[in-house]
Amino acid sequence: MAVKESERKYRPYKRLTQEQIELIYKLFEEKMEQRKIARVLGVHLRTVQYHLKKTQRI
């Protein structure tokens, strides 16, 4: 039985653009908290942490 689009619990996954990823790095280097970066970009905190860890910036 297929789940209707409107019945899905989570939003579909959407990749970040290169500009968004670069903004994560820039804001982190400017000492902005990871939670605030996530709020500004409208993404989950774990997404921000993933991209920072991926480049060993944490």
Side-chain angles (χ1 to χ4, degrees):
M1 180 176 227
V3 176
K4 293 181 184 177
E5 187 82 22
S6 61
E7 294 176 359
R8 286 190 180 165
K9 190 174 182 179
Y10 304 103
R11 287 185 276 169
Y13 176 75
K14 189 175 179 185
R15 291 187 182 269
L16 296 182
T17 63
Q18 189 61 37
E19 290 81 19
Q20 289 173 310
I21 294 169
E22 291 171 7
L23 185 56
I24 289 173
Y25 302 147
K26 180 177 181 264
L27 294 174
F28 186 73
E29 288 173 359
E30 292 175 0
K31 307 296 184 208
M32 183 180 280
E33 293 179 6
Q34 294 176 19
R35 289 179 194 271
K36 190 163 184 180
I37 295 170
R39 265 188 256 122
V40 167
L41 291 175
V43 299
H44 198 278
L45 173 61
R46 299 282 290 155
T47 302
V48 173
Q49 292 170 337
Y50 168 80
H51 286 285
L52 292 172
K53 187 173 183 178
K54 188 170 142 181
T55 60
Q56 296 299 319
R57 295 191 187 228
I58 289 184

